[in-house]
Amino acid sequence: MPKCLYIETVGCQMNLLDSEMVVAALRQHGYTVTDNVEQADTILFNTCSVRQHAEDKIYSALGRLRRLKQQHPEKVIGVLGCMAQKDQALIFERAPFVDLVVGPGQLHRIAELLESVAAGAPRPRMAVSLDRRDGPLAEIRRSHESFDPLRDPTMRPTPFQAFLRIQIGCDKFCSYCVVPMTRGPEQGRPPEQILEEARLLADQGCLEITLLGQTVNSYKYRSGEQMTRLADLLERLHEIDGIRRLKFVTNFPKDMSRELLEAVRSLPKCSPYLHVPLQSGSNAVLHRMKRGHTVEEYRDMMAQIREMIPGAAVSSDFIVGFCGETDRDFDQTMAIVQECRFKNSFIFKYSERPGTKAAERLVDDVPYETKQARNNRLLAIQNAISEEDNRAFIGRIVEVLVEGPSKVTMKRADTGSEVQLMGRTHCDRIVVFQGSPQLAGQILPVRVRDVTAHTLLGER
Ligand code: 5AD
Ligand code: SF4
């Protein structure tokens, strides 16, 4: 009997990739995939712990399955990912009908774990990695090793784009962040493995690869005397025929190097796009966040980027309302956003996470309403800047990798066959224009006729 899988994924690109791997593994074991939860006999949630809100949503989604599970006790319900690693047995306390809990470092065992549940292994079953304090580093590292060799082209963002993990875990321990706990110690993958996977992706028709790492520019891999860093990796990936664009996220400001910027400048396939979260414009806040850099250092890094890669798009993340953030601190964040002119910024309200240094030592003292108001104000100036800078593109021709129909695929009555297509420029700006769906997967010149804060509106 073929098994039928429903999988829901929240969170970052790492999670999207993890889900792709899980689906690939389960397809090999005869599973089909459905987007109808009622039809599925295996229901998996790949979860995120970065903010409380993401966890609340999963617990309510689980709550909604209680009835289904009562009516069909044979259905298997599993919680995967960061919340599985963080909450572990707590998940069974809050949702006792869950059968399986699997941390992000144990996902390579998913098929075997589901089989054992089906074969009547005592429920609930749990597979999580070691805690940071649970043993020797080598053992902890091994317990977080995830798997990547299986690729499932149908689970990719589009057939022409893929994520490729080059690093797992994080060793930065920013005081607000749960990731070093849920994803374990930082480990670079061997370059040969990465290159092999990239070649496989290119053979499958992939044009754009986005390298993933929590602090991707800290990537290093030592083999004997030989040390490979991200710049070396980019040079080698650049030689693969078929690959047209290379991106990498997320960068850690302190580890941005001249060599890396030189690689981006000199390798035409490297997108002139850098995501480098700043988090706050106040040195006092950055210090409490344990980010390891000052506003001045970030500013120097920006100047170096602007000088070495003119026209590069830089984007950032910000947390508003972190412990002790005053109006003055927040004004400094507003000022630096105005100064840096990011392509876009992802803005988050601080959410206290159990187990982090901030939760243990600092008071989450900014009222929710203040966080919300600061979020709105920062977003408003970022949007104004994004729109202003996008205006410079009006009348210009940009090279767009066409991803496919946009979310609003408005069929045009006069031609019938044309839809609104969506794609991205080399510098990661979103472009929409009318065209045939068959253009998906091509890199095409598009003329920009108008813009909004988030989109270039083009025509062919
Ligand atoms: N609260 C709010 N935002 C957070 N981020 C990470 N941890 C938290 C938290 N506890 C944000 C940071 C990070 C992005 C992925 O999520 O801005 O860069
Ligand atoms: Fe979290 Fe900081 Fe690591 Fe990013 S660098 S994953 S914010 S601890």
Side-chain angles (χ1 to χ4, degrees):
M1 260 271 285
K3 299 246 179 61
C4 189
L5 166 73
Y6 172 87
I7 184 163
E8 210 171 294
T9 308
V10 294
C12 63
Q13 289 148 329
M14 275 294 178
N15 267 16
L16 293 175
L17 182 56
D18 282 339
S19 289
E20 181 187 324
M21 304 300 167
V22 164
V23 170
L26 294 181
R27 278 220 172 98
Q28 288 208 332
H29 282 77
Y31 282 76
T32 57
V33 181
T34 175
D35 49 17
N36 181 346
V37 70
E38 307 265 336
Q39 271 172 11
D41 44 41
T42 304
I43 301 165
L44 301 178
F45 291 94
N46 192 5
T47 62
C48 170
S49 280
V50 160
R51 284 168 289 276
Q52 176 76 43
H53 182 61
E55 295 192 343
D56 293 344
K57 283 211 317 226
I58 293 296
Y59 278 115
S60 23
L62 285 172
R64 286 193 295 275
L65 289 182
R66 186 184 297 269
R67 277 266 293 287
L68 188 70
K69 178 75 175 173
Q70 270 164 2
Q71 288 158 356
H72 302 277
E74 74 288 354
K75 287 188 195 277
V76 176
I77 300 179
V79 176
L80 321 178
C82 286
M83 200 179 91
Q85 181 65 35
K86 171 178 156 286
D87 283 1
Q88 305 194 356
L90 183 69
I91 295 178
F92 303 126
E93 279 167 38
R94 291 185 62 177
F97 50 90
V98 167
D99 301 291
L100 184 65
V101 164
V102 190
Q106 301 287 315
L107 291 174
H108 53 283
R109 298 174 53 200
I110 188 70
E112 162 224 329
L113 291 163
L114 283 169
E115 251 164 47
S116 75
V117 170
R123 301 179 186 205
R125 285 220 57 181
M126 190 161 82
V128 290
S129 302
L130 293 176
D131 191 80
R132 283 274 188 171
R133 286 176 289 256
D134 271 355
L137 182 61
E139 240 169 77
I140 297 172
R141 283 193 166 157
R142 256 196 314 279
S143 83
H144 279 277
E145 256 164 35
S146 51
F147 69 134
D148 279 24
L150 299 169
R151 305 291 320 217
D152 187 332
T154 62
M155 280 300 286
R156 293 222 210 97
T158 69
F160 331 105
Q161 297 171 295
F163 298 124
L164 201 176
R165 188 177 346 244
I166 67 166
Q167 178 194 56
I168 59 176
C170 180
D171 279 346
K172 301 300 183 197
F173 288 96
C174 301
S175 65
Y176 51 81
C177 185
V178 81
V179 170
M181 272 69 82
T182 60
R183 288 197 179 260
E186 179 190 320
Q187 304 181 62
R189 274 181 87 197
E192 294 313 325
Q193 255 183 41
I194 296 169
L195 285 156
E196 196 182 319
E197 198 173 323
R199 284 187 211 107
L200 174 78
L201 288 165
D203 288 345
Q204 291 176 348
C206 186
L207 301 175
E208 178 187 277
I209 292 183
T210 303
L211 307 177
L212 296 186
Q214 233 60 247
T215 57
V216 73
N217 58 332
S218 327
Y219 170 86
K220 52 183 184 299
Y221 187 85
R222 181 186 286 284
S223 168
E225 290 293 285
Q226 178 91 6
M227 178 71 104
T228 308
R229 296 189 180 272
L230 180 55
D232 311 313
L233 214 48
L234 288 170
E235 258 175 46
R236 294 174 66 183
L237 289 163
H238 200 266
E239 287 166 14
I240 299 177
D241 285 337
I243 301 299
R244 305 274 300 274
R245 286 183 178 179
L246 288 164
K247 296 179 180 173
F248 51 89
V249 289
T250 288
N251 291 284
F252 191 66
K254 219 174 68 157
D255 292 339
M256 193 55 86
S257 70
R258 177 165 270 275
E259 292 72 39
L260 179 58
L261 297 179
E262 257 158 22
V264 174
R265 172 173 64 184
S266 64
L267 300 170
K269 291 181 183 178
C270 281
S271 291
Y273 161 62
L274 296 163
H275 181 63
V276 204
L278 170 57
Q279 312 294 3
S280 169
S282 149
N283 282 331
V285 174
L286 286 176
H287 182 72
R288 284 199 294 279
M289 287 179 166
K290 294 201 178 297
R291 287 287 288 176
H293 63 84
T294 60
V295 176
E296 291 72 24
E297 283 160 344
Y298 190 92
R299 193 180 271 135
D300 289 347
M301 178 203 72
M302 276 303 263
Q304 197 181 32
I305 295 174
R306 298 280 184 232
E307 179 219 309
M308 290 180 64
I309 319 169
V314 181
S315 59
S316 181
D317 292 349
F318 288 93
I319 297 177
V320 295
F322 186 63
C323 312
E325 186 188 71
T326 61
D327 283 336
R328 199 166 159 269
D329 291 321
F330 177 69
D331 287 343
Q332 291 175 338
T333 300
M334 293 282 279
I336 195 85
V337 164
Q338 234 137 9
E339 180 188 323
C340 288
R341 303 198 77 86
F342 299 111
K343 173 179 76 89
N344 65 293
S345 292
F346 299 98
I347 301 167
F348 307 101
K349 296 183 276 292
Y350 173 58
S351 165
E352 186 174 271
R353 307 286 51 220
T356 58
K357 284 275 172 303
E360 280 165 15
R361 298 185 187 167
L362 302 170
V363 185
D364 179 13
D365 54 358
V366 177
Y368 185 85
E369 298 68 39
T370 310
K371 288 177 182 171
Q372 185 64 58
R374 288 179 185 170
N375 190 330
N376 294 348
R377 282 181 62 203
L378 194 58
L379 195 60
I381 61 153
Q382 176 60 62
N383 283 346
I385 289 165
S386 299
E387 188 176 332
E388 251 171 58
D389 287 356
N390 277 351
R391 297 200 82 79
F393 282 83
I394 295 181
R396 272 169 56 182
I397 290 178
V398 288
E399 294 288 313
V400 179
L401 166 55
V402 186
E403 297 180 12
S406 74
K407 278 187 201 137
V408 275
T409 49
M410 301 173 300
K411 273 225 151 94
R412 256 189 14 196
D414 49 347
T415 64
S417 60
E418 293 212 328
V419 297
Q420 190 185 56
L421 294 172
M422 178 270 182
R424 278 175 198 265
T425 64
H426 208 8
C427 61
D428 202 55
R429 286 184 165 83
I430 295 170
V431 184
V432 298
F433 64 100
Q434 294 288 330
S436 156
Q438 286 171 348
L439 295 176
Q442 297 193 31
I443 298 182
L444 297 174
V446 174
R447 180 183 297 281
V448 179
R449 61 172 172 78
D450 202 0
V451 299
T452 68
H454 302 290
T455 315
L456 309 181
L457 311 169
E459 62 197 0
R460 294 253 304 139

